[in-house]
Coordinates of all heavy atoms in Angstrom, one line a residue:
M13 N 4.3 -8.6 9.8 CA 3.3 -9.6 9.7 C 2.1 -9.1 10.4 O 2.1 -8.6 11.5 CB 3.8 -10.8 10.3 CG 3.1 -12.1 10.0 SD 3.8 -13.6 10.6 CE 5.5 -13.5 10.1
V14 N 0.9 -9.2 9.6 CA -0.3 -8.8 10.1 C -1.3 -10.0 10.2 O -1.4 -10.7 9.2 CB -0.9 -7.7 9.2 CG1 -2.3 -7.3 9.7 CG2 0.0 -6.4 9.1
F15 N -1.9 -10.2 11.3 CA -2.9 -11.2 11.5 C -4.3 -10.6 11.6 O -4.5 -9.7 12.3 CB -2.6 -12.0 12.8 CG -1.2 -12.6 12.8 CD1 -0.2 -12.1 13.7 CD2 -0.9 -13.7 12.1 CE1 1.0 -12.7 13.7 CE2 0.3 -14.3 12.1 CZ 1.3 -13.8 13.0
L16 N -5.2 -11.3 10.9 CA -6.6 -10.9 11.0 C -7.5 -12.1 11.1 O -7.5 -13.0 10.2 CB -7.0 -10.1 9.7 CG -8.4 -9.7 9.6 CD1 -8.8 -8.7 10.7 CD2 -8.7 -9.1 8.2
N17 N -8.2 -12.3 12.3 CA -9.1 -13.3 12.5 C -10.3 -13.1 11.7 O -10.9 -12.0 11.7 CB -9.5 -13.5 14.0 CG -8.5 -14.1 14.8 OD1 -7.7 -14.9 14.4 ND2 -8.4 -13.6 16.1
I18 N -10.7 -14.1 10.9 CA -12.0 -14.0 10.2 C -12.9 -15.1 10.7 O -12.9 -16.2 10.2 CB -11.7 -14.2 8.6 CG1 -10.7 -13.3 8.1 CG2 -13.0 -14.1 7.9 CD1 -10.2 -13.5 6.7
G19 N -13.6 -14.8 11.8 CA -14.4 -15.8 12.4 C -13.5 -16.7 13.3 O -12.3 -16.4 13.6
N20 N -14.1 -17.8 13.7 CA -13.4 -18.8 14.6 C -12.6 -19.7 13.8 O -11.7 -20.4 14.4 CB -14.4 -19.5 15.5 CG -15.1 -18.6 16.5 OD1 -14.5 -17.6 16.9 ND2 -16.3 -18.9 16.8
T21 N -12.8 -19.9 12.5 CA -12.1 -21.0 11.8 C -11.2 -20.4 10.7 O -10.6 -21.3 10.0 CB -13.2 -21.9 11.2 OG1 -14.0 -21.2 10.3 CG2 -14.0 -22.6 12.2
K22 N -11.1 -19.1 10.5 CA -10.3 -18.6 9.4 C -9.4 -17.5 9.9 O -9.8 -16.7 10.7 CB -11.2 -18.2 8.2 CG -10.4 -18.0 6.9 CD -11.4 -18.0 5.8 CE -10.6 -18.1 4.5 NZ -11.4 -18.5 3.4
L23 N -8.2 -17.5 9.3 CA -7.2 -16.5 9.6 C -6.5 -16.0 8.4 O -6.2 -16.8 7.4 CB -6.1 -17.1 10.6 CG -4.9 -16.2 10.8 CD1 -5.3 -15.1 11.8 CD2 -3.7 -17.0 11.4
K24 N -6.4 -14.7 8.3 CA -5.6 -14.1 7.1 C -4.3 -13.5 7.7 O -4.2 -12.9 8.7 CB -6.4 -12.9 6.5 CG -5.6 -12.2 5.4 CD -6.5 -11.0 4.9 CE -5.7 -10.2 4.0 NZ -6.4 -9.0 3.5
V25 N -3.2 -13.9 7.1 CA -1.9 -13.4 7.4 C -1.3 -12.7 6.2 O -1.2 -13.2 5.1 CB -0.9 -14.6 7.8 CG1 0.4 -14.1 8.3 CG2 -1.6 -15.5 8.8
T26 N -0.8 -11.5 6.5 CA -0.2 -10.7 5.4 C 1.3 -10.6 5.7 O 1.7 -10.1 6.9 CB -0.8 -9.4 5.3 OG1 -2.2 -9.5 5.1 CG2 -0.3 -8.6 4.1
L27 N 2.2 -10.9 4.8 CA 3.6 -10.9 5.0 C 4.2 -9.8 4.0 O 3.8 -9.8 2.9 CB 4.3 -12.2 4.7 CG 4.3 -13.3 5.8 CD1 2.9 -13.8 6.0 CD2 5.2 -14.4 5.4
T28 N 5.1 -9.1 4.5 CA 5.8 -8.1 3.7 C 6.8 -8.8 2.8 O 7.0 -10.0 3.0 CB 6.6 -7.1 4.5 OG1 7.6 -7.8 5.2 CG2 5.7 -6.3 5.5
E29 N 7.4 -8.1 1.8 CA 8.4 -8.7 0.9 C 9.6 -9.2 1.7 O 10.1 -10.3 1.5 CB 8.8 -7.6 0.0 CG 9.8 -8.2 -1.0 CD 10.2 -7.1 -2.1 OE1 9.8 -5.9 -1.9 OE2 10.9 -7.5 -3.0
Q30 N 10.0 -8.5 2.8 CA 11.1 -8.9 3.6 C 10.8 -10.1 4.4 O 11.6 -11.1 4.5 CB 11.5 -7.8 4.5 CG 12.1 -6.5 3.8 CD 11.0 -5.6 3.2 OE1 9.9 -5.7 3.6 NE2 11.4 -4.7 2.4
E31 N 9.6 -10.2 4.9 CA 9.2 -11.4 5.7 C 9.1 -12.6 4.8 O 9.5 -13.8 5.2 CB 7.9 -11.2 6.4 CG 8.0 -10.2 7.5 CD 6.6 -9.6 8.0 OE1 5.6 -9.6 7.2 OE2 6.6 -9.3 9.2
C32 N 8.6 -12.5 3.5 CA 8.6 -13.6 2.6 C 10.0 -14.1 2.3 O 10.2 -15.3 2.3 CB 7.9 -13.1 1.3 SG 6.1 -12.9 1.3
A33 N 10.9 -13.2 2.1 CA 12.3 -13.6 1.9 C 12.9 -14.3 3.1 O 13.5 -15.3 2.9 CB 13.1 -12.3 1.6
R34 N 12.6 -13.8 4.3 CA 13.1 -14.4 5.6 C 12.6 -15.9 5.7 O 13.3 -16.8 6.1 CB 12.7 -13.6 6.7 CG 13.2 -14.1 8.0 CD 12.9 -13.3 9.2 NE 12.0 -12.1 8.8 CZ 11.3 -11.5 9.6 NH1 11.2 -11.8 10.9 NH2 10.5 -10.5 9.2
Y35 N 11.3 -16.1 5.3 CA 10.7 -17.4 5.4 C 11.0 -18.3 4.2 O 10.5 -19.4 4.0 CB 9.2 -17.3 5.7 CG 8.9 -17.0 7.1 CD1 8.4 -15.7 7.4 CD2 9.2 -17.9 8.1 CE1 8.2 -15.4 8.7 CE2 8.9 -17.6 9.4 CZ 8.3 -16.3 9.7 OH 8.1 -16.0 11.1
G36 N 11.6 -17.7 3.2 CA 11.9 -18.5 2.0 C 10.8 -18.7 1.0 O 10.7 -19.6 0.3
I37 N 9.8 -17.7 1.1 CA 8.7 -17.8 0.2 C 9.0 -17.0 -1.0 O 9.1 -15.8 -1.0 CB 7.4 -17.3 0.9 CG1 7.1 -18.1 2.1 CG2 6.2 -17.2 -0.1 CD1 6.0 -17.5 3.0
D38 N 9.1 -17.6 -2.1 CA 9.4 -17.0 -3.4 C 8.0 -16.7 -4.1 O 7.4 -17.6 -4.6 CB 10.2 -17.9 -4.3 CG 10.6 -17.3 -5.6 OD1 10.1 -16.1 -5.9 OD2 11.3 -18.0 -6.4
T39 N 7.6 -15.5 -4.0 CA 6.3 -15.1 -4.6 C 6.2 -15.2 -6.1 O 5.1 -15.1 -6.7 CB 5.8 -13.7 -4.1 OG1 6.8 -12.8 -4.5 CG2 5.6 -13.6 -2.6
A40 N 7.3 -15.4 -6.7 CA 7.3 -15.6 -8.2 C 6.9 -17.0 -8.6 O 6.5 -17.3 -9.7 CB 8.7 -15.3 -8.8
K41 N 7.0 -17.9 -7.6 CA 6.5 -19.4 -7.8 C 5.0 -19.5 -7.9 O 4.3 -18.8 -7.2 CB 7.0 -20.3 -6.8 CG 8.5 -20.5 -6.8 CD 9.0 -21.3 -5.6 CE 8.5 -22.8 -5.7 NZ 9.2 -23.6 -4.6
S42 N 4.5 -20.3 -8.7 CA 3.1 -20.6 -8.7 C 2.6 -21.7 -7.9 O 1.4 -21.9 -7.6 CB 2.6 -20.7 -10.2 OG 3.2 -21.9 -10.7
E43 N 3.5 -22.6 -7.5 CA 3.2 -23.8 -6.7 C 4.2 -23.9 -5.6 O 5.4 -23.6 -5.8 CB 3.2 -25.0 -7.6 CG 2.2 -25.0 -8.7 CD 0.9 -25.7 -8.4 OE1 0.9 -26.5 -7.5 OE2 -0.1 -25.4 -9.1
F44 N 3.8 -24.5 -4.4 CA 4.6 -24.8 -3.3 C 4.4 -26.2 -2.9 O 3.3 -26.6 -2.9 CB 4.4 -23.8 -2.2 CG 4.6 -22.4 -2.5 CD1 3.7 -21.5 -3.0 CD2 5.9 -21.9 -2.3 CE1 3.9 -20.2 -3.3 CE2 6.2 -20.5 -2.6 CZ 5.2 -19.7 -3.1
T45 N 5.5 -26.9 -2.5 CA 5.3 -28.2 -2.0 C 4.8 -28.2 -0.6 O 5.0 -27.2 0.2 CB 6.6 -29.0 -2.1 OG1 7.6 -28.4 -1.2 CG2 7.2 -29.0 -3.5
R46 N 4.3 -29.3 -0.1 CA 3.8 -29.4 1.2 C 4.9 -29.2 2.2 O 4.7 -28.5 3.2 CB 3.1 -30.8 1.4 CG 2.6 -31.0 2.8 CD 2.0 -32.4 2.9 NE 1.7 -32.6 4.3 CZ 0.7 -33.3 4.7 NH1 -0.1 -33.9 3.9 NH2 0.4 -33.4 6.0
S47 N 6.0 -29.7 2.0 CA 7.2 -29.6 2.9 C 7.7 -28.1 3.0 O 8.0 -27.6 4.0 CB 8.3 -30.5 2.6 OG 8.8 -30.2 1.3
E48 N 7.6 -27.4 1.9 CA 8.0 -26.0 1.9 C 7.1 -25.1 2.8 O 7.6 -24.3 3.6 CB 8.0 -25.4 0.5 CG 9.1 -25.9 -0.5 CD 8.9 -25.3 -1.8 OE1 7.8 -25.4 -2.4 OE2 9.9 -24.8 -2.4
I49 N 5.8 -25.4 2.7 CA 4.8 -24.6 3.4 C 4.7 -25.0 4.9 O 4.5 -24.3 5.8 CB 3.5 -24.6 2.7 CG1 3.6 -23.8 1.4 CG2 2.4 -24.1 3.6 CD1 3.9 -22.3 1.7
K50 N 4.9 -26.3 5.1 CA 4.7 -26.9 6.4 C 5.6 -26.2 7.5 O 5.1 -25.8 8.5 CB 4.9 -28.4 6.4 CG 4.4 -29.1 7.6 CD 4.4 -30.6 7.4 CE 3.8 -31.3 8.5 NZ 3.8 -32.8 8.3
E51 N 6.9 -26.1 7.2 CA 7.9 -25.5 8.1 C 7.5 -24.0 8.4 O 7.5 -23.6 9.5 CB 9.3 -25.6 7.6 CG 9.9 -26.9 7.8 CD 10.0 -27.3 9.3 OE1 10.4 -26.4 10.1 OE2 9.7 -28.5 9.6
V52 N 7.2 -23.3 7.3 CA 6.8 -21.9 7.4 C 5.6 -21.7 8.3 O 5.5 -20.9 9.1 CB 6.6 -21.3 6.0 CG1 6.0 -19.9 6.1 CG2 7.9 -21.3 5.2
M53 N 4.6 -22.5 8.0 CA 3.3 -22.4 8.7 C 3.5 -22.7 10.2 O 2.8 -22.1 11.0 CB 2.2 -23.3 8.1 CG 1.8 -22.7 6.8 SD 1.4 -21.0 6.7 CE 0.1 -20.9 8.0
R54 N 4.4 -23.6 10.6 CA 4.6 -23.9 12.0 C 5.0 -22.6 12.7 O 4.5 -22.3 13.8 CB 5.6 -25.0 12.2 CG 5.1 -26.3 12.3 CD 6.1 -27.3 12.8 NE 5.8 -28.7 12.3 CZ 6.5 -29.4 11.5 NH1 7.6 -29.1 11.1 NH2 6.0 -30.6 11.1
D55 N 6.0 -21.9 12.1 CA 6.5 -20.7 12.7 C 5.4 -19.6 12.8 O 5.2 -19.0 13.8 CB 7.7 -20.2 12.0 CG 8.9 -21.1 12.1 OD1 9.0 -22.0 13.0 OD2 9.8 -21.0 11.2
I56 N 4.8 -19.4 11.6 CA 3.7 -18.4 11.6 C 2.6 -18.7 12.5 O 2.1 -17.8 13.2 CB 3.2 -18.2 10.1 CG1 4.3 -17.7 9.3 CG2 1.9 -17.4 10.0 CD1 4.0 -17.6 7.8
L57 N 2.1 -19.9 12.6 CA 1.0 -20.2 13.5 C 1.4 -20.1 15.0 O 0.5 -19.7 15.8 CB 0.5 -21.7 13.2 CG -0.3 -21.8 11.9 CD1 -0.7 -23.2 11.6 CD2 -1.6 -20.9 11.9
T58 N 2.6 -20.3 15.3 CA 3.1 -20.1 16.7 C 3.0 -18.6 17.0 O 2.5 -18.2 18.0 CB 4.5 -20.6 16.9 OG1 4.5 -22.0 16.7 CG2 5.0 -20.3 18.3
L59 N 3.5 -17.8 16.1 CA 3.5 -16.3 16.2 C 2.0 -15.8 16.3 O 1.7 -15.0 17.1 CB 4.2 -15.6 15.1 CG 5.7 -15.7 15.0 CD1 6.2 -15.1 13.7 CD2 6.3 -15.1 16.2
C60 N 1.2 -16.4 15.5 CA -0.2 -15.9 15.4 C -1.0 -16.3 16.7 O -1.8 -15.5 17.2 CB -0.8 -16.5 14.2 SG -2.3 -17.4 14.4
E61 N -0.7 -17.5 17.3 CA -1.3 -17.8 18.5 C -1.0 -16.8 19.6 O -1.9 -16.4 20.4 CB -0.9 -19.3 19.0 CG -1.7 -19.7 20.2 CD -1.4 -21.2 20.5 OE1 -0.6 -21.9 19.8 OE2 -1.8 -21.6 21.6
D62 N 0.2 -16.5 19.7 CA 0.7 -15.5 20.7 C 0.1 -14.1 20.4 O -0.2 -13.4 21.4 CB 2.2 -15.4 20.7 CG 2.9 -16.6 21.2 OD1 2.2 -17.5 21.9 OD2 4.1 -16.8 20.9
S63 N -0.1 -13.7 19.2 CA -0.5 -12.4 18.8 C -1.9 -12.2 18.8 O -2.5 -11.2 19.3 CB 0.1 -12.1 17.4 OG -0.3 -10.8 17.0
C64 N -2.7 -13.1 18.2 CA -4.2 -12.9 18.1 C -5.0 -14.0 18.6 O -6.2 -13.9 18.5 CB -4.5 -12.6 16.6 SG -4.3 -14.1 15.5
G65 N -4.4 -15.1 19.2 CA -5.2 -16.1 19.8 C -5.7 -17.2 18.9 O -6.5 -18.1 19.3
F66 N -5.4 -17.1 17.6 CA -5.9 -18.1 16.7 C -5.0 -19.4 16.9 O -3.8 -19.4 16.7 CB -5.7 -17.7 15.2 CG -6.3 -18.6 14.2 CD1 -7.7 -18.5 13.9 CD2 -5.6 -19.6 13.6 CE1 -8.3 -19.4 12.9 CE2 -6.1 -20.4 12.6 CZ -7.5 -20.3 12.3
C67 N -5.6 -20.4 17.4 CA -4.9 -21.7 17.8 C -5.3 -22.8 17.0 O -6.5 -23.1 16.8 CB -5.2 -21.9 19.3 SG -4.3 -23.3 19.9
V68 N -4.3 -23.5 16.4 CA -4.5 -24.8 15.7 C -3.8 -25.9 16.5 O -2.6 -25.8 16.7 CB -3.9 -24.7 14.2 CG1 -4.0 -26.0 13.5 CG2 -4.6 -23.6 13.4
T69 N -4.6 -26.9 16.9 CA -3.9 -27.9 17.7 C -3.9 -29.2 16.8 O -3.0 -29.4 16.0 CB -4.7 -28.2 19.0 OG1 -6.0 -28.4 18.8 CG2 -4.4 -27.0 19.9
S70 N -4.9 -30.0 16.9 CA -5.0 -31.2 16.1 C -5.9 -31.1 14.9 O -6.1 -32.1 14.2 CB -5.4 -32.3 17.0 OG -6.8 -32.1 17.4
E71 N -6.4 -29.9 14.6 CA -7.3 -29.7 13.5 C -6.6 -29.8 12.2 O -5.4 -29.5 12.1 CB -7.9 -28.3 13.5 CG -8.9 -28.0 14.6 CD -8.2 -27.4 15.8 OE1 -7.0 -27.2 15.8 OE2 -8.9 -26.9 16.7
K72 N -7.3 -30.3 11.2 CA -6.7 -30.3 9.8 C -7.0 -28.9 9.4 O -8.0 -28.2 9.7 CB -7.5 -31.3 8.9 CG -7.2 -32.7 9.2 CD -7.9 -33.6 8.2 CE -7.5 -35.1 8.5 NZ -8.1 -35.9 7.5
I73 N -6.0 -28.4 8.5 CA -6.2 -27.0 8.0 C -5.9 -27.0 6.5 O -5.3 -27.8 5.9 CB -5.2 -26.1 8.7 CG1 -3.7 -26.5 8.5 CG2 -5.4 -25.9 10.2 CD1 -2.7 -25.5 9.0
L74 N -6.5 -26.0 5.9 CA -6.3 -25.6 4.5 C -5.5 -24.4 4.5 O -5.9 -23.4 5.1 CB -7.6 -25.4 3.8 CG -7.6 -24.9 2.4 CD1 -6.9 -25.9 1.4 CD2 -9.0 -24.5 1.9
V75 N -4.4 -24.4 3.7 CA -3.5 -23.2 3.6 C -3.6 -22.7 2.2 O -3.3 -23.5 1.3 CB -2.1 -23.5 4.0 CG1 -1.2 -22.3 3.8 CG2 -2.0 -23.9 5.5
Q76 N -3.9 -21.5 2.0 CA -4.0 -20.9 0.6 C -3.0 -19.7 0.7 O -3.1 -18.8 1.5 CB -5.3 -20.4 0.3 CG -6.4 -21.5 0.3 CD -7.8 -21.0 0.2 OE1 -8.3 -20.4 1.2 NE2 -8.4 -21.2 -0.9
L77 N -2.0 -19.6 -0.2 CA -1.1 -18.6 -0.3 C -1.2 -17.9 -1.6 O -1.3 -18.5 -2.7 CB 0.4 -19.2 -0.2 CG 1.5 -18.2 -0.1 CD1 2.6 -18.8 0.7 CD2 2.0 -17.7 -1.4
Y78 N -1.4 -16.6 -1.5 CA -1.6 -15.7 -2.7 C -0.5 -14.7 -2.8 O -0.4 -13.8 -1.9 CB -3.0 -15.0 -2.6 CG -4.1 -15.9 -2.6 CD1 -4.8 -16.3 -1.4 CD2 -4.6 -16.5 -3.8 CE1 -5.8 -17.2 -1.4 CE2 -5.6 -17.4 -3.8 CZ -6.3 -17.7 -2.6 OH -7.3 -18.6 -2.7
P79 N 0.4 -14.8 -3.8 CA 1.4 -13.8 -4.0 C 0.8 -12.4 -4.4 O -0.2 -12.4 -5.1 CB 2.3 -14.3 -5.1 CG 1.8 -15.8 -5.3 CD 0.5 -15.9 -4.7
M80 N 1.4 -11.4 -4.0 CA 0.9 -10.0 -4.4 C 2.0 -9.4 -5.3 O 3.2 -9.8 -5.2 CB 0.7 -9.2 -3.1 CG -0.5 -9.8 -2.3 SD -0.6 -9.2 -0.7 CE -1.1 -7.5 -0.9
P81 N 1.6 -8.4 -6.1 CA 2.6 -7.9 -7.1 C 3.8 -7.3 -6.5 O 4.9 -7.3 -7.1 CB 1.7 -6.8 -7.8 CG 0.3 -7.1 -7.5 CD 0.3 -7.9 -6.2
G82 N 3.8 -6.7 -5.3 CA 5.0 -6.1 -4.7 C 5.9 -7.0 -4.0 O 6.9 -6.5 -3.3
G83 N 5.7 -8.3 -4.1 CA 6.5 -9.3 -3.4 C 6.0 -9.7 -2.1 O 6.6 -10.6 -1.4
E84 N 4.9 -9.1 -1.6 CA 4.3 -9.6 -0.4 C 3.4 -10.7 -0.7 O 3.3 -11.2 -1.9 CB 3.3 -8.4 0.1 CG 4.0 -7.1 0.3 CD 3.8 -6.2 -1.0 OE1 3.3 -6.7 -2.0 OE2 4.2 -5.0 -0.9
C85 N 2.8 -11.3 0.3 CA 1.9 -12.4 0.1 C 0.8 -12.4 1.2 O 1.0 -11.8 2.3 CB 2.5 -13.8 0.0 SG 3.1 -14.4 1.6
E86 N -0.3 -13.0 0.8 CA -1.4 -13.2 1.8 C -1.6 -14.7 2.0 O -1.6 -15.4 1.0 CB -2.7 -12.5 1.3 CG -2.7 -11.1 1.3 CD -4.0 -10.5 0.8 OE1 -4.8 -11.2 0.0 OE2 -4.3 -9.3 1.2
I87 N -1.7 -15.1 3.2 CA -1.9 -16.5 3.5 C -3.3 -16.6 4.3 O -3.5 -15.9 5.3 CB -0.8 -17.1 4.4 CG1 0.6 -17.0 3.6 CG2 -1.1 -18.6 4.7 CD1 1.8 -17.3 4.5
F88 N -4.1 -17.5 3.8 CA -5.4 -17.8 4.4 C -5.3 -19.2 5.0 O -4.9 -20.1 4.3 CB -6.5 -17.7 3.5 CG -6.8 -16.3 3.1 CD1 -6.2 -15.7 1.9 CD2 -7.7 -15.5 3.7 CE1 -6.4 -14.4 1.5 CE2 -7.9 -14.2 3.4 CZ -7.3 -13.6 2.2
V89 N -5.6 -19.3 6.3 CA -5.6 -20.6 7.0 C -7.0 -20.8 7.5 O -7.6 -20.1 8.2 CB -4.6 -20.5 8.2 CG1 -4.7 -21.9 9.0 CG2 -3.3 -20.1 7.9
T90 N -7.6 -22.0 7.1 CA -8.9 -22.4 7.5 C -8.9 -23.7 8.2 O -8.3 -24.7 7.7 CB -9.8 -22.5 6.2 OG1 -9.7 -21.4 5.4 CG2 -11.2 -22.9 6.6
K91 N -9.5 -23.7 9.4 CA -9.6 -25.0 10.1 C -10.7 -25.8 9.5 O -11.8 -25.3 9.3 CB -10.0 -24.7 11.6 CG -8.9 -24.0 12.4 CD -9.4 -23.7 13.8 CE -8.5 -22.8 14.6 NZ -9.0 -22.6 16.0
L92 N -10.4 -27.1 9.2 CA -11.4 -27.9 8.5 C -12.2 -28.8 9.4 O -13.2 -29.3 9.1 CB -10.7 -28.8 7.4 CG -10.0 -27.9 6.3 CD1 -9.2 -28.9 5.4 CD2 -10.9 -27.1 5.5
T93 N -11.7 -29.0 10.6 CA -12.4 -29.8 11.6 C -13.7 -29.2 12.0 O -13.8 -28.0 12.3 CB -11.5 -30.0 12.9 OG1 -10.2 -30.5 12.5 CG2 -12.1 -31.0 13.8
G94 N -14.7 -30.0 12.0 CA -16.0 -29.5 12.4 C -16.8 -28.8 11.3 O -17.9 -28.3 11.5
L95 N -16.3 -28.8 10.1 CA -17.0 -28.1 9.0 C -18.0 -29.1 8.3 O -17.8 -30.3 8.2 CB -16.1 -27.5 7.9 CG -15.3 -26.4 8.4 CD1 -14.3 -25.9 7.3 CD2 -16.1 -25.2 8.8

């Protein structure tokens, strides 16, 4: 898992094919339900806070998940509070 801070309000997370499988992210799907992503994002955001300092507390966030051809995915997290 690779974390990349894009400013103070945006984070890019890249997951390998194996990490997607571990988190139950099926990159062949075109849509994900809120409950499917919510659990995954809790775990990922906890790891990211420890790794790169990107912290989400009470902010509303926008999560965009983009599947990649090799089974990997990119997830963009944007803090919406204060925009």
Side-chain angles (χ1 to χ4, degrees):
M13 194 173 310
V14 177
F15 300 108
L16 176 64
N17 284 327
I18 305 172
N20 293 328
T21 60
K22 195 162 193 162
L23 172 75
K24 176 183 173 184
V25 182
T26 306
L27 278 70
T28 65
E29 182 178 8
Q30 294 80 14
E31 290 166 332
C32 287
R34 183 176 4 159
Y35 284 108
I37 298 173
D38 181 358
T39 58
K41 289 175 67 173
S42 61
E43 300 266 338
F44 296 91
T45 66
R46 180 181 172 144
S47 60
E48 285 176 312
I49 289 299
K50 197 171 184 178
E51 281 300 315
V52 169
M53 288 312 302
R54 269 194 203 119
D55 293 343
I56 290 174
L57 289 173
T58 298
L59 291 172
C60 127
E61 185 176 352
D62 295 340
S63 177
C64 70
F66 188 85
C67 180
V68 175
T69 53
S70 62
E71 293 96 351
K72 289 185 179 185
I73 60 172
L74 169 67
V75 176
Q76 299 167 291
L77 189 147
Y78 297 99
M80 296 167 64
E84 308 92 352
C85 75
E86 293 180 332
I87 300 173
F88 290 88
V89 180
T90 305
K91 295 180 188 180
L92 299 177
T93 306
L95 293 179

